Amino acid sequence: MLKLYHNPISPNSRRVWITLMEKGLSFELVEVKYLDGEQFKPEFLAISPFHHIPILVDDGFNIVESLAILDYLEAKYPTPAMLPTDAKDLVIVRMVQQATVNELMPATIPLTPVLLGLPGGDIEKIEQSKQKVSTVLKFFESLLDHRPFFGSENITLAESVAGTIVPWLLGGSVSFGEYPKLSAWCDRLTARPAWQKTQTPEIIEAIKSRMTARMAQTS
């Protein structure tokens, strides 16, 4: 059986978790308590030399890096297909994946306190982040057409990746008034069982508590 080492608060982990569910695969979840440093224990380093999550283990074969894991799952378990075959549609999926990882996720880091409803943060960096986020969201809005998902009538790996970040922004301080197609896309995703199953509000509350405590120590 497939085994996924993950942490439920990690978007990188969640994208693999969602894909496994969307493909209807049987798998075992093994939670790595990242906040407690379990990723540095020798038994975890034996399968993840970079001490990162997620890790997918398939019959003794260890796979690191979430995008590589998604490609492995698509290649080994092609039904249901989560990558289009048309060249233009395929590159739309890939652009969404890469823009999420390389542009959107780094831009959200200074926004984390704001998104969690916590005080503080560097005002200048927050404004710069909001501008960067806006650029990415406008790009995503332009890639959506009459179809319900990026480049497809069916859910794709673009949804697995962007769908773990964009709805979180919608639930935070980012207005989606300028992005009606993206807002509707978020509604479609968050109504799916895979998204509802992997939502972890209690973990977010734990993160807020720890961040509040750290801010109190440094003030």
Side-chain angles (χ1 to χ4, degrees):
M1 179 184 291
L2 295 166
K3 183 181 291 188
L4 175 64
Y5 290 82
H6 85 124
N7 187 283
I9 196 62
S10 164
N12 293 349
S13 290
R14 194 179 176 209
R15 65 180 61 144
V16 177
W17 190 3
I18 284 172
T19 301
L20 288 165
M21 294 182 66
E22 289 289 345
K23 283 187 170 290
L25 299 172
S26 297
F27 60 97
E28 177 186 353
L29 275 178
V30 180
E31 182 175 348
V32 179
K33 295 180 180 178
Y34 227 64
L35 296 177
D36 296 330
E38 287 189 355
Q39 69 274 25
F40 297 110
K41 291 185 176 181
E43 55 267 32
F44 184 73
L45 290 173
I47 61 171
S48 176
F50 309 116
H51 57 77
H52 294 160
I53 50 173
I55 303 293
L56 185 73
V57 179
D58 186 5
D59 193 24
F61 181 50
N62 303 332
I63 312 161
V64 303
E65 299 296 339
S66 62
L67 295 185
I69 294 172
L70 297 187
D71 283 343
Y72 178 82
L73 292 174
E74 181 67 13
K76 187 167 183 180
Y77 307 99
T79 304
M82 293 184 69
L83 283 178
T85 55
D86 176 79
K88 180 180 176 181
D89 292 339
L90 176 60
V91 82
I92 286 174
V93 170
R94 293 306 196 195
M95 286 193 295
V96 171
Q97 288 182 302
Q98 294 297 326
T100 299
V101 171
N102 298 325
E103 307 294 340
L104 185 59
M105 290 184 68
T108 63
I109 293 174
L111 288 177
T112 300
V114 177
L115 293 168
L116 292 174
L118 298 174
D122 187 311
I123 295 177
E124 183 177 352
K125 288 184 178 180
I126 288 173
E127 288 305 313
Q128 291 173 349
S129 291
K130 286 183 177 179
Q131 292 176 12
K132 186 64 172 287
V133 166
S134 176
T135 298
V136 177
L137 296 181
K138 287 178 181 176
F139 177 61
F140 286 173
E141 180 80 3
S142 72
L143 293 178
L144 286 166
D145 51 25
H146 63 281
R147 292 171 292 183
F149 304 108
F150 284 104
S152 179
E153 295 287 349
N154 304 304
I155 196 166
T156 75
L157 296 181
E159 278 70 43
S160 297
V161 178
T164 62
I165 297 294
V166 177
W168 186 51
L169 296 173
L170 178 60
S173 63
V174 177
S175 171
F176 272 49
E178 298 179 38
Y179 319 111
K181 290 186 289 186
L182 199 55
S183 180
W185 173 84
C186 284
D187 290 341
R188 284 190 288 273
L189 290 188
T190 55
R192 297 177 73 89
W195 266 259
Q196 295 183 2
K197 175 75 174 180
T198 59
Q199 286 178 336
T200 52
E202 69 281 358
I203 301 293
I204 293 176
E205 288 303 316
I207 294 289
K208 288 172 66 174
S209 177
R210 292 206 176 200
M211 287 189 67
T212 301
R214 287 179 183 176
M215 290 166 65
Q217 291 173 356
T218 57
S219 61

